[in-house]
Structure formats: structure tokens, C-alpha cells
């Protein structure tokens, strides 16, 4: 059986992570996704590559696509687009707005070729405002959105980004794919295509969750005071490390409790997550500890309570260090307390839970050979998803152009002229 998006044709002009991930997710759902990239390959093919045209980064975000190489700066490119775009349902773009116009892949140009087109773009900061033309990557958005400062991790006084995952880019890719599915449904009802605008900055703000909620009656005055204080500290030249320490004293993190953290064990580490009072009481009972937060008239912000919380965490750390990870997991599971071992990424490729749910797939790449990668995000009972290999550079150029009606003589001329590869 085919996936839920069988018959949907997507032209993917995106690069790096967010846009390519969106195209890959649509391909997983059965859409035909044609990745248009320059003859020399999109930048992610060349970043930490293990061959002249392949890298793990590219493989991770381009599964299931067909690769059409095309130099969009060439005058011949418009001839190819004039046949490709009218057959498309969706276009994905993540250039800056001015770059899309220069390359001839902006909404005005492409929707003139196909009024039913769903055009979905992801920019760093949006089309309006003082930063509209500013280029932005995951690390820059982490900095400018507050995510980096909220993390509170410093190295030699400088804030450190969340580097284990391209957090903002990944969430933005999910957002793009979500938007496309919504627009396709709307077009089924109205018959009209449309333009969708998403931003890395907006995605990052959503990732902040409750940190990005202001209750006017409670927060407005304190927030204004905080903004003024931060401005004054910057003008005074206070080192960033001190600014973070002061800010954390004024706004203590809410998750710094004994109930939601990681602990070293006798032979590893374990994570515990208790987000309700019944679970917290069970953990206290398992550790044979007492917490004054369950006493009458407990004030969580009092100096006594904060000092007690630090002592409680220290005592829990000592207790967890007395047994192995396996022993703790069994004990906590028997009491219904959420917990799990801290693992390294390399251990997950053969993890039995991952394997049982098909969360890693084995694929055969034309040039790289056998590869393993993160699998499908969902399982559909009636329209099952399918993972197919990422494309080699230009692997499908001849086939796609032939399907558009171009002759082999035209294709060879473009190849000799460097328009395609």
C-alpha cells in the first residue's frame, strides 16, 4: 500500500537541515520529492564529508528524494523550471527572501507558473522587521531567542549552544512538514494554493514553552525591571558569567529539584522524572527521604526552603551512588517511578526497544553502500510509510528531465555547459 501522500509532487529547493528534513518527512509519507541542488551539491553534502559528494549530515536529512542538479543562476534554469513547477503540488524554500527572488524561485514567480502551488518557505527571522535580511543558523537563533542564555551553560565565561542536536532546525523541519499537510488539506476543500511563511525564530520561541508565557497581572512589571537591569549590566560591561549568575539568582530554575534530574549510580547514570506529587512521594519513600515542601505553609522561595532543596539533592546523589543502574531501574520500576538509563548514541543502533519499534532503518545507498539511520516517526495502519535511500548527487537528473519531455541532446548540452551534473 502507498503512503498517505502518494501522488503529491514536491520540489525541494532547500539546504542544510530544516527544509531538507521537511522534504524527507514528506517523502517518508509517500510524496515524490525532487531535490534541486547545484551541480556541485548543496553545502551539507560537503560538510564533514566522507566522500567527494556524501556526508552523514546530508544522508540524515534527505532520505527518499530524487536528486536533480540544476544551476539556478544559469539562464537555462528557467526553461527547466517552466516545465517542472506546473507539475508540482508543493515547493519548499529556505533561502533569504532576496536570494529566492534572485534565483527565480520566489512565490510570485513560481505561482504564476502554477496557481494551485503550495509554496512553503522557512526564513531565519521572517520577512518583516530589522532582522529580515539577516542570515541565521541554529546557533544564532539559539542565541537571539533566549534559548542559549536560559540553558545557563558557560565555558570560559561564554554561553554554550545546545550542540548535541540542531534543536531549532529540527523543530522547524517538523513545522514545515506540518504546514504542508495542512495546506494540502485546505486545497482539497478550496482548490487554491497558497504561500506559507515559517521562521526559525518563531520555532525557537515555541520551544521555550512556559518560559515564553507572560501573565500580565503577574509578570509585566518584573519583566520590564529585568530587561532594564540587563541593559544596565551590559552598559556597565559586567562579564556575561556574572550576568548569568545574577539572572539565575533573580529567576531560579524551576527544574532544579530532586525529582527531575540525572544521578550518577555505581556503574553509570540514571534519569528520574517525577512531575506529580504522588510520584514525588513515591521517590521520597524509595530513597527514605523527607521533603519539607509537603508540609503545611511551605514557601518554595524562602531561603530555608532553597537551602533544604540543595541539601536534599546532595543526599539523593549520595544514595543513588550506592547501587548500580540496573538495581535502581528495577527498584523504581517496581514502584511505578519513571526512570531510565543514560545512554550514548552509539548504543542505540542495536537497542532492543529501538529495534522492536523499527526506529532505525537499514538502507542501501548507491555510493555509500549499507547505511543505518533514524527510522520513520510514525506508523500508519492503512497507508504505511516507507523509508528509501537518500539520493546520490545528480542521481536522477536524466530521469527527471526526461520525464519533463527534454531530449537527450538537450540534457547532454546542459551537462556539458555545467547547468546540470
Amino acid at each position: 500500500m502507498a503512503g498517505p501522500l502518494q501522488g503529491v509532487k514536491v520540489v525541494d529547493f532547500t539546504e542544510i537541515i530544516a527544509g531538507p528534513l521537511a522534504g524527507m518527512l514528506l517523502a517518508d509519507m509517500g510524496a515524490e520529492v525532487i531535490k534541486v541542488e547545484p551541480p556541485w551539491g548543496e553545502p551539507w553534502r560537503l560538510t564533514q564529508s566522507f566522500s567527494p559528494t556524501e556526508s552523514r549530515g546530508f544522508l540524515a536529512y534527505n532520505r527518499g528524494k530524487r536528486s536533480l542538479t540544476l544551476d539556478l543562476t544559469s539562464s537555462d534554469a528557467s526553461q527547466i523550471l517552466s516545465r517542472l513547477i506546473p507539475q508540482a503540488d508543493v515547493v519548499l524554500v529556505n533561502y533569504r527572501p532576496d536570494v529566492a527572488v534572485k534565483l527565480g524561485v520566489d512565490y510570485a514567480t513560481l505561482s504564476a507558473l502554477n496557481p494551485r502551488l503550495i509554496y512553503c518557505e522557512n526564513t531565519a527571522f521572517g520577512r518583516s522587521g530589522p532582522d529580515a535580511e539577516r542570515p541565521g543558523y541554529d546557533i544564532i537563533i539559539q542565541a537571539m531567542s533566549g534559548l542559549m542564555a536560559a540553558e545557563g551553560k558557560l565555558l570560559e565565561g561564554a554561553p554554550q549552544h545546545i550542540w548535541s542536536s540542531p534543536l531549532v532546525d529540527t523543530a522547524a523541519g517538523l513545522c514545515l512538514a506540518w504546514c504542508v499537510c495542512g495546506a494540502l488539506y485546505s486545497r482539497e476543500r478550496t482548490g487554491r494554493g497558497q504561500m506559507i511563511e515559517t521562521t526559525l525564530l518563531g520555532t525557537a520561541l515555541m520551544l521555550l514553552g512556559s518560559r515564553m508565557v507572560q501573565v500580565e497581572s503577574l509578570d509585566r512589571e518584573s519583566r520590564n525591571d529585568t530587561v532594564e537591569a540587563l541593559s544596565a549590566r551590559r552598559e556597565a560591561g559586567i562579564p556575561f558569567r556574572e550576568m548569568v549568575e545574577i539572572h539565575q539568582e533573580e529567576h531560579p530554575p524551576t527544574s532544579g529539584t530532586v525529582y527531575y534530574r540525572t544521578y550518577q549510580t555505581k556503574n553509570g547514570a540514571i534519569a528520574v522524572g517525577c512531575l506529580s506529587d504522588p510520584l514525588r512521594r513515591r521517590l521520597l519513600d524509595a530513597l527514605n527521604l523527607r521533603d519539607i515542601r509537603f508540609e503545611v505553609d511551605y514557601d518554595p522561595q524562602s531561603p530555608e526552603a532553597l537551602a533544604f532543596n540543595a541539601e536534599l539533592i546532595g543526599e539523593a546523589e549520595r544514595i543513588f551512588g550506592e547501587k548500580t543502574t540496573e538495581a535502581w531501574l528495577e527498584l523504581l520500576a517496581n514502584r511505578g517511578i519513571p526512570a531510565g538509563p543514560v545512554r550514548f548514541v552509539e548504543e542505540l543502533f542495536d537497542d532492543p526497544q529501538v529495534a522492536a519499534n523499527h526506529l532505525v532503518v537499514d538502507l542501501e545507498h548507491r555510493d555509500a553502500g549499507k547505511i543505518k539511520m533514524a527510522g520513520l516517526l510514525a506508523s500508519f495502519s492503512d497507508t504505511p510509510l516507507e523509508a528509501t535511500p537518500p539520493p546520490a548527487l545528480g542521481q536522477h537528473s536524466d530521469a527527471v528531465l526526461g520525464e519533463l519531455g527534454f531530449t537527450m541532446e538537450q540534457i547532454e548540452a546542459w551537462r556539458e555547459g555545467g547547468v546540470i551534473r
Side-chain angles (χ1 to χ4, degrees):
M1 289 181 140
L5 293 183
Q6 183 192 29
V8 173
K9 294 185 177 181
V10 179
V11 180
D12 179 358
F13 291 103
T14 64
E15 299 178 342
I16 313 297
I17 296 175
L21 173 59
M24 186 180 88
L25 295 175
L26 298 174
D28 285 347
M29 288 197 283
E32 178 191 346
V33 181
I34 298 174
K35 182 177 181 68
V36 180
E37 52 184 320
W40 48 90
E42 74 126 295
W44 222 226
R45 284 188 182 272
L46 311 176
T47 301
Q48 298 180 342
S49 57
F50 58 82
S51 78
T53 60
E54 301 297 339
S55 71
R56 285 182 176 83
F58 182 85
L59 296 176
Y61 300 110
N62 290 280
R63 177 173 66 212
K65 303 177 185 180
R66 306 172 79 192
S67 173
L68 167 64
T69 53
L70 179 60
D71 184 356
L72 292 173
T73 66
S74 166
S75 58
D76 293 315
S78 61
Q79 185 179 350
I80 295 172
L81 294 180
S82 68
R83 294 195 190 180
L84 180 63
I85 299 304
Q87 297 186 13
D89 296 289
V90 178
V91 159
L92 300 176
V93 175
N94 66 348
Y95 302 116
R96 294 198 318 268
D98 61 314
V99 174
V101 172
K102 291 176 183 176
L103 295 177
V105 294
D106 55 293
Y107 178 64
T109 300
L110 299 189
S111 63
L113 296 172
N114 182 356
R116 283 174 49 83
L117 187 67
I118 293 166
Y119 182 99
C120 192
E121 76 169 11
N122 180 255
T123 59
F125 301 99
R127 288 177 160 267
S128 303
D131 294 324
E133 301 302 321
R134 181 196 294 267
Y137 293 102
D138 192 283
I139 188 173
I140 297 170
I141 305 299
Q142 283 192 35
M144 295 180 66
S145 67
L147 272 170
M148 195 180 292
E151 197 71 0
K153 294 178 180 177
L154 305 176
L155 180 63
E156 297 179 355
Q160 300 301 294
H161 71 288
I162 302 165
W163 60 268
S164 60
S165 165
L167 184 66
V168 179
D169 280 339
T170 301
L174 293 166
C175 175
L176 279 163
W178 166 66
C179 289
V180 167
C181 291
L184 285 169
Y185 178 71
S186 175
R187 195 180 67 176
E188 285 297 302
R189 293 184 294 110
T190 67
R192 297 192 302 272
Q194 60 181 304
M195 179 179 181
I196 303 166
E197 299 176 46
T198 68
T199 66
L200 295 180
L201 180 59
T203 299
L205 297 183
M206 182 62 67
L207 288 172
L208 285 164
S210 61
R211 293 291 295 268
M212 201 59 197
V213 175
Q214 176 176 290
V215 180
E216 289 289 308
S217 61
L218 301 176
D219 305 325
R220 184 172 182 178
E221 185 175 343
S222 62
R223 185 189 69 83
N224 290 341
D225 290 344
T226 298
V227 171
E228 290 178 6
L230 289 170
S231 179
R233 290 164 193 160
R234 289 191 180 99
E235 290 182 7
I238 294 177
F240 191 83
R241 177 184 294 278
E242 293 182 25
M243 291 179 64
V244 170
E245 292 172 353
I246 296 170
H247 191 266
Q248 289 183 339
E249 288 178 5
E250 296 173 344
H251 306 273
T254 57
S255 60
T257 73
V258 69
Y259 307 107
Y260 200 84
R261 64 186 300 113
T262 54
Y263 293 97
Q264 286 192 68
T265 65
K266 200 170 186 178
N267 66 339
I270 191 172
V272 175
C274 299
L275 292 178
S276 68
D277 280 354
L279 289 175
R280 292 170 183 138
R281 290 180 184 274
R282 287 185 210 170
L283 182 63
L284 290 174
D285 183 62
L287 301 177
N288 194 27
L289 292 174
R290 161 185 164 270
D291 189 346
I292 62 173
R293 75 187 63 227
F294 290 113
E295 297 179 1
V296 178
D297 298 328
Y298 167 76
D299 178 5
Q301 298 303 321
S302 69
E304 177 195 9
L306 294 174
F308 180 85
N309 183 57
E311 293 176 7
L312 187 64
I313 289 173
E315 187 63 17
E317 289 174 338
R318 181 189 65 77
I319 295 171
F320 271 105
E322 294 175 349
K323 296 180 181 179
T324 65
T325 295
E326 294 74 19
W328 278 117
L329 289 174
E330 181 179 2
L331 186 154
L332 296 175
N334 289 338
R335 294 171 180 254
I337 298 170
V342 176
R343 294 195 178 110
F344 293 92
V345 174
E346 291 79 3
E347 298 177 280
L348 296 177
F349 286 96
D350 300 309
D351 179 80
Q353 185 65 29
V354 170
N357 290 277
H358 311 291
L359 299 180
V360 165
V361 293
D362 296 278
L363 301 172
E364 185 75 28
H365 187 271
R366 192 194 73 177
D367 297 341
K370 292 182 179 180
I371 62 173
K372 287 179 179 283
M373 63 186 302
L376 303 165
L377 288 182
S379 174
F380 285 53
S381 63
D382 290 344
T383 54
L385 312 189
E386 181 183 5
T388 58
L393 180 60
Q395 180 176 350
H396 307 97
S397 294
D398 287 11
V400 171
L401 293 173
E403 291 164 10
L404 294 175
F406 295 108
T407 66
M408 283 306 301
E409 289 77 11
Q410 289 174 299
I411 294 171
E412 285 300 328
W414 284 328
R415 194 183 338 272
E416 292 177 8
V419 178
I420 66 169
R421 173 165 176 162

